PDB file of all heavy atoms in Angstrom:
ATOM      1  N   GLU A  40      17.380  -1.768 -19.071  1.00 94.00           N
ATOM      2  CA  GLU A  40      17.808  -1.911 -20.461  1.00 94.00           C
ATOM      3  C   GLU A  40      19.307  -2.158 -20.573  1.00 94.00           C
ATOM      4  O   GLU A  40      19.760  -2.952 -21.396  1.00 94.00           O
ATOM      5  CB  GLU A  40      17.423  -0.639 -21.239  1.00 94.00           C
ATOM      6  CG  GLU A  40      17.582  -0.754 -22.732  1.00 94.00           C
ATOM      7  CD  GLU A  40      17.123   0.511 -23.443  1.00 94.00           C
ATOM      8  OE1 GLU A  40      17.094   1.588 -22.794  1.00 94.00           O
ATOM      9  OE2 GLU A  40      16.788   0.417 -24.633  1.00 94.00           O
ATOM     10  N   GLU A 292       8.840 -16.257 -27.619  1.00 93.00           N
ATOM     11  CA  GLU A 292       8.238 -17.572 -27.739  1.00 93.00           C
ATOM     12  C   GLU A 292       7.672 -18.005 -26.380  1.00 93.00           C
ATOM     13  O   GLU A 292       8.250 -17.721 -25.336  1.00 93.00           O
ATOM     14  CB  GLU A 292       9.304 -18.572 -28.179  1.00 93.00           C
ATOM     15  CG  GLU A 292       8.732 -19.916 -28.544  1.00 93.00           C
ATOM     16  CD  GLU A 292       9.747 -20.783 -29.286  1.00 93.00           C
ATOM     17  OE1 GLU A 292      10.938 -20.432 -29.286  1.00 93.00           O
ATOM     18  OE2 GLU A 292       9.329 -21.804 -29.849  1.00 93.00           O
ATOM     19  N   GLU A 296       1.755 -21.802 -28.156  1.00 88.00           N
ATOM     20  CA  GLU A 296       1.699 -20.901 -29.301  1.00 88.00           C
ATOM     21  C   GLU A 296       0.323 -20.979 -29.935  1.00 88.00           C
ATOM     22  O   GLU A 296       0.160 -21.343 -31.088  1.00 88.00           O
ATOM     23  CB  GLU A 296       2.797 -21.257 -30.304  1.00 88.00           C
ATOM     24  CG  GLU A 296       4.197 -21.007 -29.779  1.00 88.00           C
ATOM     25  CD  GLU A 296       4.513 -19.521 -29.659  1.00 88.00           C
ATOM     26  OE1 GLU A 296       4.049 -18.741 -30.487  1.00 88.00           O
ATOM     27  OE2 GLU A 296       5.224 -19.160 -28.703  1.00 88.00           O
ATOM     28  N   THR A 341      -5.755 -11.575 -32.246  1.00 94.00           N
ATOM     29  CA  THR A 341      -4.410 -12.105 -32.031  1.00 94.00           C
ATOM     30  C   THR A 341      -3.659 -12.499 -33.289  1.00 94.00           C
ATOM     31  O   THR A 341      -2.435 -12.397 -33.343  1.00 94.00           O
ATOM     32  CB  THR A 341      -4.467 -13.388 -31.163  1.00 94.00           C
ATOM     33  OG1 THR A 341      -5.213 -14.377 -31.858  1.00 94.00           O
ATOM     34  CG2 THR A 341      -5.088 -13.106 -29.813  1.00 94.00           C
ATOM     35  N   THR A 375      -6.604 -22.336 -40.182  1.00 87.00           N
ATOM     36  CA  THR A 375      -6.754 -22.195 -38.740  1.00 87.00           C
ATOM     37  C   THR A 375      -6.933 -23.586 -38.132  1.00 87.00           C
ATOM     38  O   THR A 375      -7.795 -24.345 -38.559  1.00 87.00           O
ATOM     39  CB  THR A 375      -7.997 -21.341 -38.418  1.00 87.00           C
ATOM     40  OG1 THR A 375      -7.860 -20.087 -39.088  1.00 87.00           O
ATOM     41  CG2 THR A 375      -8.117 -21.103 -36.916  1.00 87.00           C
ATOM     42  N   ILE A 680      -6.930  -3.610 -48.941  1.00 71.00           N
ATOM     43  CA  ILE A 680      -5.555  -3.866 -49.350  1.00 71.00           C
ATOM     44  C   ILE A 680      -5.515  -4.385 -50.779  1.00 71.00           C
ATOM     45  O   ILE A 680      -4.671  -4.028 -51.570  1.00 71.00           O
ATOM     46  CB  ILE A 680      -4.912  -4.921 -48.436  1.00 71.00           C
ATOM     47  CG1 ILE A 680      -4.958  -4.455 -46.992  1.00 71.00           C
ATOM     48  CG2 ILE A 680      -3.477  -5.170 -48.840  1.00 71.00           C
ATOM     49  CD1 ILE A 680      -4.623  -5.562 -46.043  1.00 71.00           C
ATOM     50  N   THR A 682      -6.109  -5.130 -54.563  1.00 69.00           N
ATOM     51  CA  THR A 682      -6.484  -4.338 -55.723  1.00 69.00           C
ATOM     52  C   THR A 682      -7.431  -5.168 -56.577  1.00 69.00           C
ATOM     53  O   THR A 682      -7.288  -6.375 -56.667  1.00 69.00           O
ATOM     54  CB  THR A 682      -5.239  -3.985 -56.555  1.00 69.00           C
ATOM     55  OG1 THR A 682      -4.518  -5.185 -56.799  1.00 69.00           O
ATOM     56  CG2 THR A 682      -4.365  -3.012 -55.809  1.00 69.00           C
TER      57      THR A 682
ATOM     58  N   ARG B  32      14.467  -4.181 -30.368  1.00 97.00           N
ATOM     59  CA  ARG B  32      15.739  -4.683 -30.875  1.00 97.00           C
ATOM     60  C   ARG B  32      16.161  -5.947 -30.139  1.00 97.00           C
ATOM     61  O   ARG B  32      16.997  -6.702 -30.603  1.00 97.00           O
ATOM     62  CB  ARG B  32      16.824  -3.610 -30.750  1.00 97.00           C
ATOM     63  CG  ARG B  32      17.337  -3.349 -29.344  1.00 97.00           C
ATOM     64  CD  ARG B  32      18.371  -2.233 -29.375  1.00 97.00           C
ATOM     65  NE  ARG B  32      19.006  -2.001 -28.100  1.00 97.00           N
ATOM     66  CZ  ARG B  32      18.505  -1.261 -27.121  1.00 97.00           C
ATOM     67  NH1 ARG B  32      17.318  -0.680 -27.289  1.00 97.00           N
ATOM     68  NH2 ARG B  32      19.158  -1.093 -25.997  1.00 97.00           N
ATOM     69  N   ARG B  37      13.701 -15.343 -34.857  1.00 94.00           N
ATOM     70  CA  ARG B  37      12.512 -16.204 -34.737  1.00 94.00           C
ATOM     71  C   ARG B  37      11.331 -15.448 -34.134  1.00 94.00           C
ATOM     72  O   ARG B  37      10.190 -15.669 -34.510  1.00 94.00           O
ATOM     73  CB  ARG B  37      12.836 -17.430 -33.869  1.00 94.00           C
ATOM     74  CG  ARG B  37      13.564 -18.536 -34.643  1.00 94.00           C
ATOM     75  CD  ARG B  37      14.268 -19.498 -33.686  1.00 94.00           C
ATOM     76  NE  ARG B  37      13.407 -19.968 -32.605  1.00 94.00           N
ATOM     77  CZ  ARG B  37      12.526 -20.952 -32.725  1.00 94.00           C
ATOM     78  NH1 ARG B  37      12.391 -21.562 -33.884  1.00 94.00           N
ATOM     79  NH2 ARG B  37      11.797 -21.331 -31.715  1.00 94.00           N
ATOM     80  N   ARG B  41       7.574 -15.049 -35.985  1.00 94.00           N
ATOM     81  CA  ARG B  41       6.274 -15.336 -35.367  1.00 94.00           C
ATOM     82  C   ARG B  41       5.377 -14.105 -35.392  1.00 94.00           C
ATOM     83  O   ARG B  41       4.206 -14.171 -35.730  1.00 94.00           O
ATOM     84  CB  ARG B  41       6.460 -15.792 -33.919  1.00 94.00           C
ATOM     85  CG  ARG B  41       6.497 -17.273 -33.714  1.00 94.00           C
ATOM     86  CD  ARG B  41       6.353 -17.598 -32.239  1.00 94.00           C
ATOM     87  NE  ARG B  41       7.193 -16.740 -31.422  1.00 94.00           N
ATOM     88  CZ  ARG B  41       8.468 -16.971 -31.181  1.00 94.00           C
ATOM     89  NH1 ARG B  41       9.035 -18.050 -31.675  1.00 94.00           N
ATOM     90  NH2 ARG B  41       9.171 -16.135 -30.460  1.00 94.00           N
ATOM     91  N   ARG B  45       1.748 -13.750 -37.494  1.00 94.00           N
ATOM     92  CA  ARG B  45       0.485 -13.380 -36.840  1.00 94.00           C
ATOM     93  C   ARG B  45      -0.054 -12.077 -37.397  1.00 94.00           C
ATOM     94  O   ARG B  45      -1.257 -11.909 -37.558  1.00 94.00           O
ATOM     95  CB  ARG B  45       0.704 -13.259 -35.333  1.00 94.00           C
ATOM     96  CG  ARG B  45       0.822 -14.616 -34.708  1.00 94.00           C
ATOM     97  CD  ARG B  45       1.309 -14.533 -33.297  1.00 94.00           C
ATOM     98  NE  ARG B  45       1.628 -15.880 -32.839  1.00 94.00           N
ATOM     99  CZ  ARG B  45       2.377 -16.164 -31.809  1.00 94.00           C
ATOM    100  NH1 ARG B  45       2.894 -15.198 -31.080  1.00 94.00           N
ATOM    101  NH2 ARG B  45       2.613 -17.398 -31.469  1.00 94.00           N
ATOM    102  N   ARG B  48      -1.947 -12.441 -40.600  1.00 93.00           N
ATOM    103  CA  ARG B  48      -3.307 -12.967 -40.393  1.00 93.00           C
ATOM    104  C   ARG B  48      -4.248 -11.880 -39.855  1.00 93.00           C
ATOM    105  O   ARG B  48      -5.382 -11.759 -40.295  1.00 93.00           O
ATOM    106  CB  ARG B  48      -3.273 -14.167 -39.440  1.00 93.00           C
ATOM    107  CG  ARG B  48      -2.586 -15.386 -40.046  1.00 93.00           C
ATOM    108  CD  ARG B  48      -2.448 -16.502 -39.032  1.00 93.00           C
ATOM    109  NE  ARG B  48      -3.727 -17.102 -38.701  1.00 93.00           N
ATOM    110  CZ  ARG B  48      -4.248 -18.144 -39.328  1.00 93.00           C
ATOM    111  NH1 ARG B  48      -3.610 -18.705 -40.331  1.00 93.00           N
ATOM    112  NH2 ARG B  48      -5.409 -18.642 -38.955  1.00 93.00           N
ATOM    113  N   ARG B  49      -3.728 -11.107 -38.885  1.00 94.00           N
ATOM    114  CA  ARG B  49      -4.586 -10.042 -38.338  1.00 94.00           C
ATOM    115  C   ARG B  49      -4.939  -9.022 -39.404  1.00 94.00           C
ATOM    116  O   ARG B  49      -6.035  -8.491 -39.438  1.00 94.00           O
ATOM    117  CB  ARG B  49      -3.884  -9.333 -37.171  1.00 94.00           C
ATOM    118  CG  ARG B  49      -4.009 -10.031 -35.853  1.00 94.00           C
ATOM    119  CD  ARG B  49      -3.697  -9.070 -34.725  1.00 94.00           C
ATOM    120  NE  ARG B  49      -2.375  -8.473 -34.825  1.00 94.00           N
ATOM    121  CZ  ARG B  49      -1.249  -9.069 -34.482  1.00 94.00           C
ATOM    122  NH1 ARG B  49      -1.270 -10.296 -34.017  1.00 94.00           N
ATOM    123  NH2 ARG B  49      -0.090  -8.460 -34.617  1.00 94.00           N
TER     124      ARG B  49
END
Side-chain angles (χ1 to χ4, degrees):
Chain A
E40 191 177 22
E292 189 166 13
E296 293 289 325
T341 62
T375 304
I680 302 168
T682 51
Chain B
R32 74 182 186 277
R37 279 161 49 81
R41 265 193 315 276
R45 285 168 190 162
R48 292 174 70 91
R49 277 198 303 281

